[in-house]
Amino acid sequence: MPIIEVNGLTKAYGGRTVVDGVSFSVEEGEIFGILGPNGAGKTTTVECVEGLRTPDAGTVRVAGLDPVADHDRVTLLLGAQLQESALQAKLTVREALELYGAFYPRPADRRPLADRLGLAERLDTRFAKLSGGQKQRLFIALALVGNPRIVVLDELTTGLDPRARRDTWRLIEDVRDSGVTVLLVTHFMEEAQRLCDRVAVVDKGRVAALDTPAGLIGRAAASTVVSFTPSRPLDERELAALPDVNSVTRKGDRVRLAGSDETVNALLSLLARHRVTAGQLRVVDATLDDAFLDLTAPAAAPAAGTATTDREET
């Protein structure tokens, strides 16, 4: 049985539906990603999984339990790092771990947990003195201090520099390797591609696609992108007529074709026939960015005078 099951989840605020019939399941031991643009309904969805919000329709089960009706039992199974988290400025790392550990009947041993997350040398450091990466490590520790079977991480690496982000990714992989199921909410395509076993792409409150990162990339309109600077101009009509070409764009002298492996082979033949040299030739596979852009439509700009809600839904 999946450890998380969401079926037909619907939630509205002020008459505006932000989650519209979302369904997915999470297998125990995997990193499952929820990916989508701002305002897609990602955070509301995981808040329903956490039992922080009551669905208007549909069902949510965590290890077979209702997160609202069985909230106390689900709390013992599920740890969470919220989208916006903060602690009192003068609270030390040690005090935070002791405080959060006191909420559980069998908390994790705090010292090994601090060692595991690189916080052993910061136990007496106040929250306000921690770096951004250290604060995120602490929030992961607080989510794990209750020895949960599931941990929900919502936009965990937002605001981190590239090195701190990659350090945090390794921590998430370590958490999964320890047997904890991870439900990861993110809008970083590289993060989802690196970490997730499967991804649900949510757009406008609905699941637009659910697959492995590789499976989603395989759905991209163009699986291969080639760019080069020709030694002399080429007829754009000939380029557009190559097999599987999805688009042809130019930036100055540089040409970019989106297509497939067959497009690349045909292009090389075309260049040879015309005796054209391809300077700075680059051939790359499509990424989750490409799949995401294909699967999600741009949000329409609000009409003039339209009121917006106070709560930024993500």
Side-chain angles (χ1 to χ4, degrees), residues 46-125:
V46 297
E47 286 176 347
C48 290
V49 171
E50 294 162 337
L52 299 178
R53 297 190 181 274
T54 302
D56 295 333
T59 60
V60 179
R61 294 293 180 267
V62 176
L65 301 172
D66 183 324
V68 176
D70 304 308
H71 187 70
D72 290 346
R73 295 172 67 188
V74 169
T75 297
L76 299 179
L77 299 174
L78 186 149
Q81 171 268 328
L82 303 178
Q83 186 182 50
E84 295 182 9
S85 302
L87 297 173
Q88 290 181 328
K90 294 185 178 181
L91 198 69
T92 67
V93 171
R94 186 191 311 276
E95 291 168 341
L97 291 170
E98 290 175 350
L99 174 63
Y100 277 65
F103 300 150
Y104 300 94
R106 290 180 296 278
D109 190 328
R110 292 183 289 278
R111 183 66 195 214
L113 183 60
D115 286 339
R116 177 180 167 195
L117 293 171
L119 294 170
E121 304 302 318
R122 297 287 183 268
L123 287 173
D124 295 315
T125 303

Side-chain angles (χ1 to χ4, degrees), residues 2 15 24-25 32 35 58 70 81 116 150 181 190 234 274 284 297:
F24 62 86
S25 63
F32 186 92
L35 183 65
D70 304 308
Q81 171 268 328
R116 177 180 167 195
I150 307 156
T181 302
E190 185 184 1
L234 290 167
H274 290 290
V284 297

Side-chain angles (χ1 to χ4, degrees), residues 123-196:
L123 287 173
D124 295 315
T125 303
R126 299 186 188 278
F127 180 76
K129 298 297 183 180
L130 297 175
S131 69
Q134 290 165 349
K135 288 177 180 178
Q136 296 299 59
R137 288 171 180 265
L138 176 56
F139 291 135
I140 295 175
L142 297 179
L144 295 173
V145 75
N147 277 321
R149 291 173 60 190
I150 307 156
V151 64
V152 179
L153 305 174
D154 191 352
E155 304 288 6
L156 180 66
T157 60
T158 297
L160 297 185
D161 63 63
R163 184 177 299 279
R165 182 174 296 131
R166 281 163 176 75
D167 288 343
T168 304
W169 291 351
R170 284 191 287 271
L171 289 176
I172 296 171
E173 290 170 329
D174 288 344
V175 168
R176 186 269 309 280
D177 292 344
S178 71
V180 178
T181 302
V182 178
L183 181 57
L184 177 69
V185 180
T186 183
H187 62 262
F188 288 117
M189 305 300 130
E190 185 184 1
E191 182 167 284
Q193 189 169 345
R194 157 78 181 267
L195 294 175
C196 296

